Every structure is written in structure tokens, then in C-alpha cells.
Amino acid sequence: MNMPPSGLPALPRKLYARRPDIFPRAIDGFFRRLKWVVMAVTLAIYYVTPWLRWNRGAYAPDQAVLVDLAHRRFYFFSIEIWPHEFYYVAGLLVMAGIGLFLVTSTVGRAWCGYACPQTVWTDLFLHVERAIDGDRNAQLRLKKAPWTASKIGRRVLKHGSWLFIGLVTGGAWVFYFADAPTLAHDLVTGEAAHVAYATIAILTATTYIFGGFMREQVCLYMCPWPRIQGAMLDERSLIVTYKDWRGEPRSHGVKRSDESGDCIDCQACVQVCPVGIDIRNGAQFACITCALCIDACDQMMDKVGRPRGLIDYATLEDCKAEAAGAAPVPVTRTLFRPRTLAYFAVWSAVGLAMVFALGARARLDLTTAHDRNPLWVQLSGGDVRNAYTVKIRNMESRPRTLRLAIEGLEQGVMWDSLSDATAAGRMMTVSVAPDQVEAHRIYVRAPGRGPATEDFHFIIAAADGSSDSARDEARFDRPEMQP
Amino acid sequence: MTDRKIDEATGVPTMGHEWDGIEELDNPMPRWWLWTFYATIVFAVGYCIAYPAIPLLERATAGTLGWSSHRQLAEEMAKGQAAHASTLAALAKVDIATLDPKSPLMQAAVEGGRAAFKINCAACHGAGAAGTRGYPNLNDDDWLWGGSRAEIHETLMHGIRQPGNDATRMSQMPAFGRDGILKPEEIQAVVSFVRAASHQETVGGSARRGAALYAANCAMCHGTDAKGGRAFGAPNLTDAIWLYGGDREALTATVTNARYGVMPAWNKTLDAATLNMLTAYVHSLGGGE
């Protein structure tokens, strides 16, 4: 099949274009093996992670990575994130964004070519297709073949396998949100929540459609990243390049002459491309730089006895120099330059700040909210009473006994709504359950004569021997008109 | 449309316009995009048939599913009431005066009472129950008719000064000035006595004259020590809390014309569970006895 340039449909013009069928040929080589490794590692991480266990004691789940939406906790190995600490997730997103800039400006669209889920699952689907239908030529033949029992059997097997992969993919996702062994049992016995089945159904459908049918169309039409990446690349970024000064003019083996370039026009680079482009047309937005065309071309160059690297990872700057006759530049040079170092500095600064904040964060906290309606209450004895809601957060996975006290506000005493004013004092003991926020309604009484507003602090300190403590500012209000 | 060029590099026609030398290629849309678009139209048609959508003169089309936001609200209200039914049944039967303050039922009563208070009581006592002049603050520790749960419940049931209700709270203060029982200077002496009793003034000659008048006219209800009498709803005159103000002018007006509060007898309009919940809530505000 002769692919039109850039994978675009040929004239005559139609308003709406069918997706051209792409049957990438299997290939082996350095970059293909790298792709295998990345695929194995990323898929393993995705499928295995929810099954890892992590002992947190009796009061917390033992799943290593768990997004517990019902209780609003996020567990990541030894780190436990509370909702008010969600800025760690924001920090990770910032790091992911800058990391993408760093990688792109250094080695081009390595994310797209190797690590993007769309690429990984499309690749997986392609391998399944090849295992059932055979390689490119067999697939082309099978497409034209009549609907015999054998073809129907192969089609059923292929789509069944794809749907199975989709099901397993969607199924793995829900395990991140609940205890995996329990949920697996519930899913099989039909006792799991509706939302779990709905999530699996949706992800099965999207995996099947995106991996089996949409494939490169997701990158071309739906993904914003190819449109942005142009801003990340410069003339010193590594990209997959066809060295036209070496390859042109192209020739088939029989017609070669002294003027012929190295390119033998064998179409191998086009046939292996999963996006269906011809890299010899130059750098283009559809190229995900998976580098399979490099493997294909290198194989051909070996066969015809020409040096490798007609299609190669190179920077535009080096390409220009090489075309002018300079020696090839080692690719490592592109890694260290002001732009990449600046990205790396920002990226690692965010990372270090997060690690530092993670190490220094408190696992005991309190917040106070002053009753506003009424702001103060005149008591019959002449004192004034204010009410506060004090929320105590015990972010550790063990029950804790704490001392709540007021600091400042001389002559002020407090009691909580479950006891009465006879229990009033400057300090009280509270027990907080593991991993819980507990709200106490606290009354504070102080003499009616004094400033209209007076600042003081609520403090909590551990009564269990540790030095943990926290404090929060509060305000005591009095009537402005004083008798 | 102006004449369309074919782009040399790609063989694709251009849209026929350019900005700063950049021309837009007229590439066709992908077909799946078209089918997705058709699918949204089909969905919209189905939606318009199933749900209220097309506005008519009076109201919109009903939709074959019969869904409406009013009906959904009614269903959800019914669902909420069904969910609370067992708690409310238990609250209707419980003796609120002796219910364990730390029990879950009491917590539920306080929360339910908070909502019921805002609907029934906030108009006079304020959303935070802080009251205002003439309407008692329910947060404080001063009670005209008593602040225990039993007494609060009694007040809620029968109200204050409700005609035709034998059990209603009835306070009767004579209008000492208007009815000519005391002369203006005698009233001033009583006011001086009350202000001295509440430590707002030092005891002087006027207060000493007022003491005898107080003993003769006021002590029967407000007590010989002026600490009030809950049987008559007579306020404590020695504390710092004043329902109508403790300054000389307000006290003079009170003694001259008398003051009466009224409150509805809520047993006519509210059910037993709501009365119990309101009792629990008012008692929990910080001044309950």
C-alpha cells in the first residue's frame, strides 16, 4: 500500500476522511528492545502496584498505594496525604509538567514514543494483532480475503483478546481505590459497588476503542501535546531525523549509480511506522519519535553495506553541521545546556521543596472557629462567655490522648459542651481516635470587664510523652458597652 | 471563497487566506469525528423526547419519562423523611428530660432541633438564639421559667400568656405608674433600689427609700432578696442580664407600664418529636441547667 505523504488522504477532496488502515511491520533493533523494556516496566507498575502491601498498624489500611475517596485519604507507601495537604499532588503535577518540558527539550518526544499510556497500550494491541493475524503482509492479505470461517475465527479471537485486555486494564484501575483483594472478591461475586462496575465498563470500552481503532488518531486529533511541543523543541533538541544530504537522490538497488544517495527507497521506515508517516518528509508533528524507523533503516543499511544512521537521532544544529561536512557530534552533548539545566533546576527545586515539606510536616493539628451568632453571651454573674468549635486532627494511625489548653486570656476558663460549667478549667484532656478529625464545642468564660476583643491561643500537646504540639489563634469578644 | 491554491509541500488545498505568510490547509475532518457529531444529535433528539425540553405556551413538554425537578425534589424529600423516620419515632416517645446527654439519640435531637429552631423560633429569638430586647437570650444562664430540660419542654408546650391554655406560663406584673399604685418619685426610689441591688449604683438615700416600697409591692413575685421567682416568671433583678434594659430610663418604663412576654403554645402546631428536639437544642446552647 502506498501511503500518501504525511499519512494524509489523497485527492479528490472529501469533507470527511476515513482513517487510512495502518499495518505496521514488526521490527527488531535497539529502539524496539528499549520499547519492550519500557512497556514491560510501565505495564507491570500499573497492574502490580495495587496489590503491594504496606503495614501501617491496626488502624490504617495495609495497601501500599490507595486512594481512599470515602475517607478522603491518600496512601502512598509510608506517606499519608490528608485533603488539606493536597498541594503535594499539585506539586507532583507541576513536576510532571516541567519534567515533560525537560525530557522534550532534551530528547524530543520520548514521552510520546515510549511512556505515554496511549502508545503503550496501542503497542500491546498491535502485538496481539500480529500474534493472531500475522505480520503486515499477512494482515493486508487477510483484509482483502473473503469472510471464511478461518477469518471470522481470527477476527473473533482478536477482538476478544482486545476486549480482555481492556477489561483487565479497567479492572486494574479500580483496585487503586479500594482494598484490592476484597474488591477482587466482591467483583467476582457481584457484590462490588455499581460505580466499580461502571468504571470498569467505561475503561474497558475506551481501552478497546483507543487501542484497537483510534490508535494514532488519538495523538493526531485528541491530544494537545503535539501542538504544544513545538514550543519545547529547539534546534538543539534530539529528534528522529532523515539525513537527506546523505540519502538523496533515492535509488532502488538495481538503478544505483555513483550519484545515488544511500536511501534505497525500500519503504521499510514507512512500513514500520505506527503513525503511518514518512520520516523522509522531514520533522512533522505526527511523529511520536518512537524511533522504530531508525531500527528498520539500520537493518537495511547493514544489508546493503552502507554505514548506519541514515535515519538517526540528531539535533537540527548537528544535522546542519554534518551536512556541511563536519564530523558527527556525540548525542550526550545535547543533554547539558542552559535550557535543559534550567528546567532541571526548577524541576529539582520543586521536588526538594516537597521532600523537605514532607519531612517537616506536623501530624497533629487544630483549627478553631469562633461562634459568630452570638459573638458573646452575657452571663448573669457579670462574666462573658464565648463559644468555639475546636477541630483536632490526629493524623497518626494510633489513638492519642492530648491536652487542650488556653494560653493567654488571664482568668479565662473553658469547658466543653458535653460537660458543664462546674468542670471549667484552664486545661482539659481529650482523646482522639486514630486518623480522625474530632470537633469539640468549647465554651470559654472570662470576666466581663476588659478589652472588647482579646487574642489568645488554643494549644494542644501530646499527653503520651511525645513532643508533638500545635496551636491556633483565637479571639475573645466582649460587649462594647460596659456597665 | 477566493480561488484555492494547492499547497506544494503537502498537495492539500489551502483555505484561501493567509496571515503573516502562514496559510491554513483545508484538511478534511476525520470520519469518526463526523459520526461522533451525529451521535450527539441522536442523543439530543432522544433527550428531548424523554425529558421536558420544548417550551410551549403554558409549560414545557412533559417528556416520556415523566421526570420533573419538582417530582425529583418530592421524591428526595420523601426519601430523607423515610431515612429519619425511625429516629423521629424514637424521639417522639423518649422522655427528653432524662435522656442521657451523651447518647446518639440526644446528638440527633440537638441537630434536628437546630433546624426546627431556625424555622419556628428564629423569628423572635434570632437565628443564633441570642434574642433581642424583650426576647430572651437562650444562650445565657438566666431563665425566667427555668432552664432544665423539663422546664424548657413545659414552656415550649404551653407557651407564655396563651389564652385558653390552662397550663400556659402566666406572668402578671402590675403597671405601677399607669394604674396609679406608685407615685413617680416612689417609682424612682424603686428603680434606685433595683440598680443598687444589681450593683449598678451605690446605695444612697433613694435606694434606701425604695427598699421599703420594694418589700411592699415587688417582693411577693421577685423575692425578698430580688433574685426573682420562677413560679411567676419574675426575673432575677440582681444579675447582669436585663431583658428590657437595666438603665434608669428602661427600668422606669418597666415599673411604670409593666412588661409582658408572649410565646405561642407549640404543642398545637409541632409534634412531640420536634418539641423534644427543640428542648434538647435550646438546652445545649450553653446555659442549660
Side-chain angles (χ1 to χ4, degrees):
Chain A
M1 195 174 110
N2 217 349
M3 205 54 69
S6 307
L8 294 165
L11 301 171
R13 310 281 307 149
K14 291 220 170 81
L15 280 179
Y16 297 97
R18 272 182 69 86
R19 170 184 182 267
D21 286 318
I22 298 169
F23 300 100
R25 195 156 60 76
I27 188 71
D28 189 33
F30 173 77
F31 292 106
R32 178 63 257 183
R33 286 195 284 272
L34 184 61
K35 233 167 129 65
W36 277 118
V37 171
V38 175
M39 183 180 171
V41 170
T42 49
L43 287 178
I45 290 173
Y46 175 71
Y47 287 113
V48 172
T49 302
W51 297 90
L52 301 176
R53 301 289 103 182
W54 193 267
N55 185 14
R56 296 189 181 87
Y59 297 100
D62 66 344
Q63 186 157 319
V65 176
L66 177 66
V67 181
D68 191 348
L69 291 178
H71 302 100
R72 286 155 186 82
R73 300 280 183 278
F74 176 45
Y75 301 94
F76 188 80
F77 297 97
S78 64
I79 303 167
E80 181 187 333
I81 306 276
W82 280 49
H84 69 283
E85 298 174 310
F86 212 68
Y87 47 76
Y88 288 117
V89 178
L92 282 180
L93 289 175
V94 171
M95 283 184 79
I98 296 171
L100 206 49
F101 298 169
L102 172 62
V103 168
T104 306
S105 68
T106 313
V107 291
R109 290 173 69 182
W111 165 260
C112 297
Y114 295 88
C116 173
Q118 176 62 22
T119 292
V120 170
W121 264 279
T122 300
D123 209 25
L124 183 62
F125 273 51
L126 280 171
H127 289 305
V128 170
E129 191 168 44
R130 279 192 205 114
I132 293 165
D133 291 349
D135 202 3
R136 176 180 163 83
N137 291 336
Q139 286 182 29
L140 282 166
R141 270 199 308 279
L142 191 65
K143 189 189 179 222
K144 287 188 196 122
W147 283 96
T148 59
S150 143
K151 180 171 173 175
I152 292 170
R154 279 170 192 274
R155 283 288 185 263
V156 168
L157 183 61
K158 182 173 85 174
H159 289 280
S161 306
W162 282 355
L163 278 168
F164 175 75
I165 296 172
L167 185 70
V168 174
T169 305
W173 179 252
V174 297
F175 291 139
Y176 284 87
F177 297 88
D179 182 58
T182 316
L183 180 61
H185 175 267
D186 289 351
L187 282 170
V188 173
T189 54
E191 288 162 6
H194 291 303
V195 65
Y197 291 109
T199 305
I200 292 174
I202 290 169
L203 290 180
T204 302
T206 49
T207 309
Y208 176 64
I209 293 169
F210 281 24
F213 302 96
M214 302 281 286
R215 294 190 180 172
E216 80 289 344
Q217 306 238 86
V218 174
C219 315
L220 295 179
Y221 296 107
M222 293 165 75
C223 180
W225 181 232
R227 322 275 160 172
I228 305 168
Q229 50 128 5
M232 292 299 118
L233 293 168
D234 59 22
E235 64 281 357
R236 294 177 67 188
S237 308
L238 279 174
I239 52 169
V240 175
T241 326
Y242 167 66
K243 296 177 176 172
D244 55 353
W245 72 91
R246 202 187 116 184
E248 303 292 327
R250 301 169 199 179
S251 64
H252 289 292
V254 285
K255 289 188 287 178
R256 293 196 67 163
S257 66
D258 290 346
E259 286 87 47
S260 297
D262 282 352
C263 178
I264 55 171
D265 208 12
C266 64
Q267 300 283 338
C269 55
V270 178
Q271 289 174 4
V272 298
C273 180
V275 188
I277 58 168
D278 186 343
I279 193 63
R280 294 172 300 174
N281 291 332
Q284 46 207 288
F285 93 105
C287 174
I288 59 170
T289 67
C290 65
L292 294 184
C293 51
I294 299 180
D295 284 342
C297 191
D298 282 350
Q299 263 181 20
M300 281 301 159
M301 290 298 108
D302 288 351
K303 273 185 199 160
V304 299
R306 303 294 307 170
R308 290 175 157 220
L310 176 57
I311 302 175
D312 202 1
Y313 261 119
T315 69
L316 286 179
E317 202 174 66
D318 294 343
C319 278
K320 252 183 233 158
E322 238 180 282
V329 192
V331 291
T332 46
R333 226 195 54 182
T334 192
L335 301 179
F336 302 102
R337 55 199 171 93
R339 185 175 168 135
T340 58
L341 292 176
Y343 282 139
F344 183 74
V346 176
W347 182 81
S348 44
V350 175
L352 284 174
M354 276 175 49
V355 169
F356 187 77
L358 206 56
R361 68 185 179 156
R363 304 319 282 156
L364 191 62
D365 196 15
L366 85 163
T367 49
T368 59
H370 189 191
D371 266 17
R372 284 161 199 284
N373 185 9
L375 212 49
W376 43 263
V377 173
Q378 173 75 61
L379 296 180
S380 55
D383 286 353
V384 171
R385 194 190 74 212
N386 283 205
Y388 305 84
T389 303
V390 177
K391 282 187 179 172
I392 302 173
R393 274 199 288 266
N394 172 19
M395 290 179 267
E396 287 190 357
S397 303
R398 59 188 172 108
R400 302 199 73 173
T401 308
L402 306 166
R403 272 195 280 271
L404 175 68
I406 45 180
E407 192 183 76
L409 194 70
E410 275 80 28
Q411 293 182 274
V413 290
M414 67 169 177
W415 66 99
D416 77 344
S417 60
L418 295 177
S419 53
D420 58 52
T422 56
R426 297 277 293 173
M427 195 261 283
M428 58 185 271
T429 305
V430 289
S431 304
V432 189
D435 243 330
Q436 289 294 320
V437 187
E438 281 185 11
H440 292 260
R441 199 169 146 74
I442 302 288
Y443 295 117
V444 175
R445 189 183 72 212
R449 286 180 183 279
T453 66
E454 202 173 337
D455 289 333
F456 69 103
H457 286 87
F458 281 105
I459 56 171
I460 40 167
D464 50 15
S466 84
S467 62
D468 292 353
S469 69
R471 54 198 270 126
D472 193 32
E473 196 178 57
R475 212 173 93 166
F476 191 84
D477 284 292
R478 292 186 176 89
E480 292 211 18
M481 299 288 290
Q482 292 191 21
Chain B
M1 189 83 68
T2 54
D3 58 325
R4 303 189 0 150
K5 289 193 301 183
I6 305 292
D7 178 61
E8 277 176 29
T10 57
V12 176
T14 66
M15 294 293 283
H17 45 226
E18 72 161 81
W19 291 273
D20 298 339
I22 298 171
E23 289 180 87
E24 187 187 353
L25 297 186
D26 187 13
N27 276 313
M29 295 277 208
R31 182 154 288 180
W32 61 262
W33 188 94
L34 178 72
W35 285 109
T36 308
F37 177 58
Y38 287 157
T40 61
I41 294 173
V42 171
F43 178 85
V45 171
Y47 185 93
C48 288
I49 294 168
Y51 287 95
I54 302 158
L56 306 175
L57 278 181
E58 293 280 313
R59 45 177 54 237
T61 49
T64 52
L65 289 185
W67 179 92
S68 78
S69 51
H70 289 279
R71 192 163 304 157
Q72 184 180 351
L73 176 67
E75 278 165 16
E76 277 168 19
M77 293 285 282
K79 216 183 284 175
Q81 272 155 9
H84 292 137
S86 64
T87 309
L88 289 174
L91 280 172
K93 274 185 273 182
V94 78
D95 178 10
I96 197 72
T98 56
L99 183 61
D100 176 11
K102 284 174 182 154
S103 69
L105 195 58
M106 185 59 117
Q107 309 297 321
V110 169
E111 290 311 313
R114 193 189 305 279
F117 187 91
K118 294 209 161 74
I119 297 167
N120 299 292
C121 318
C124 293
H125 290 282
T132 180
R133 178 171 281 234
Y135 301 97
N137 184 346
L138 305 177
N139 292 277
D140 64 26
D141 57 348
D142 190 31
W143 296 91
L144 294 173
W145 302 96
S148 71
R149 279 180 269 164
E151 288 163 327
I152 293 169
H153 190 255
E154 183 75 8
T155 308
L156 274 164
M157 292 268 285
H158 302 291
I160 291 163
R161 294 173 58 77
Q162 287 302 300
N165 187 325
D166 293 341
T168 194
R169 307 286 201 187
M170 197 57 107
S171 56
Q172 288 286 3
M173 178 168 167
F176 288 98
R178 202 175 60 211
D179 294 348
I181 303 167
L182 294 177
K183 295 190 204 66
E185 60 270 24
E186 289 175 323
I187 289 173
Q188 287 311 310
V190 171
V191 167
S192 298
F193 169 80
V194 169
R195 284 181 58 81
S198 56
H199 309 290
Q200 299 186 84
E201 281 179 11
T202 49
V203 182
S206 175
R208 272 191 283 273
R209 273 195 305 283
L213 289 162
Y214 175 89
N217 295 286
C218 317
M220 197 172 78
C221 292
H222 288 280
T224 48
D225 55 0
K227 287 192 190 294
R230 286 182 175 177
F232 319 100
N236 183 344
L237 303 177
T238 63
D239 66 16
I241 295 173
W242 298 94
L243 188 50
Y244 296 94
D247 55 298
R248 186 160 273 281
E249 196 181 342
L251 284 170
T252 305
T254 302
V255 178
T256 304
N257 298 315
R259 308 272 196 187
Y260 307 116
V262 289
M263 177 170 131
W266 289 105
N267 65 354
K268 284 185 197 158
T269 42
L270 298 179
D271 58 32
T274 310
L275 286 167
N276 279 340
M277 292 195 295
L278 283 170
T279 303
Y281 172 67
V282 171
H283 187 264
S284 78
L285 286 172
E289 291 169 346

